[in-house]
Amino acid sequence: MPTSLLTASVTIWCTPPTPCLPGQVAWLSADEAVKASRFRRPVDHDRFVTGRLLTRAVLGERLHQAPEDVDIRLGAREGAAPGRPYVDPGPSFSIAHAGSWVLVAVVDPAGPPLPGAASAAVPGAGVDVGVDVESTAPARAHLADLLDAVPAGERPADGWDAESFTRSWVRREAVLKAVGTGLLAPRDDLLLSRADRPAGVVHSGGLLPAPDRLAVRDLELPAAWPSPSTGKAVTLGGREGHPRRSGTSPSAGGGEGATYLAAVALRSARGPVALGSVRVTDGTALLARHGITARTTLDQA
């Protein structure tokens, strides 16, 4: 009898970083406030704080709490990987930011089965999410120095370039954030599909779960700011293909017309897992409902 394939859907909120008002600083925990105070550049401070404010706004609405009452903790809990931020009780979430992008990914309460798969839609319990977004600028400037960071087996057929390396890198970070090890995991404990092929986990070892308990997909970023698809959500289905479009953002800290790539991943503690739908939606409007208006500081990047 085949093992049921767990599917989980994910919603990802996007917003540009914005300076926070004094009243919103109270949303942060004491540890987050200390970390925020250590950033030297205002834009780095604003990315970090915006990610925490957006997370609390999202989880507050999910949990029917005021954002400032959402208790985000760091560490191990039952059903979650060690070292991940979490709320208890609450869904798994992940935060990423680079340039003009701040992303917060949250596992939805249930997800539809993949077409043609013997799968069962399950609540998000026991499924952790990871998301990552990066600019291609570092790889454009230092590609030769960075290639040792990913296994040779992920090399595309036509060789590495800035975009293909960044594609492999965001897939890797998303998976390791979902697992909870981050970049402490040895490079060769995780082998992903070639950068010119649909995202997938080929091999995992060491402290990482088996490959069938991991899922990864390239993420389609909205085409432009200030709001993704003029406020409309973009839904990615569970098909084999994956989008290749990247997000472009002038004055985003990566040079004129900087290119940004992103990926989302799942880790299951319960059995084989797959991504159902991935919905990208407007976090700017969500923050506005809580009195936070996007005013970017990217000219300081």
Side-chain angles (χ1 to χ4, degrees), residues 98-248:
S100 62
W101 299 96
V102 177
L103 310 181
V104 173
V106 181
V107 175
D108 292 332
L114 293 175
S119 58
V122 296
V127 178
D128 288 311
V129 66
V131 69
D132 191 49
V133 59
E134 301 288 349
S135 168
T136 57
R140 286 202 306 265
H142 306 288
L143 181 61
D145 298 329
L146 295 173
L147 291 182
D148 282 345
V150 297
E154 296 176 18
R155 180 182 184 273
D158 294 334
W160 292 110
D161 59 18
E163 181 165 337
S164 60
F165 174 83
T166 307
R167 176 73 66 190
S168 278
W169 184 256
V170 295
R171 291 172 175 178
R172 174 170 295 269
E173 278 228 52
V175 170
L176 295 179
K177 287 170 76 172
V179 172
T181 62
L183 296 178
L184 295 176
R187 183 197 68 176
D188 293 331
D189 281 358
L190 179 65
L191 176 65
L192 303 176
S193 55
R194 278 180 11 196
D196 55 355
R197 292 183 175 176
V201 179
V202 176
H203 166 78
S204 57
L207 298 177
L208 303 185
D212 65 352
R213 298 196 174 204
L214 300 169
V216 60
R217 187 181 302 168
D218 296 330
L219 180 62
E220 182 179 16
L221 293 173
W225 285 118
S227 62
S229 302
T230 61
K232 297 180 181 178
V234 178
T235 299
L236 309 182
R239 299 183 299 275
E240 178 69 17
H242 64 291
R244 305 299 299 179
R245 190 176 76 190
S246 54
T248 6

Side-chain angles (χ1 to χ4, degrees), residues 26-30 32 52-73 85-91 93 290:
W27 291 17
L28 302 179
S29 69
E32 288 170 335
R52 269 52 186 182
L53 298 184
L54 182 57
T55 300
R56 283 186 162 81
V58 170
L59 295 179
E61 294 200 355
R62 286 280 188 98
L63 300 172
H64 307 290
Q65 297 177 2
E68 58 268 32
D69 293 335
V70 175
D71 183 15
I72 297 177
R73 303 178 184 182
Y86 69 94
V87 293
D88 190 14
F93 63 90
H290 295 277

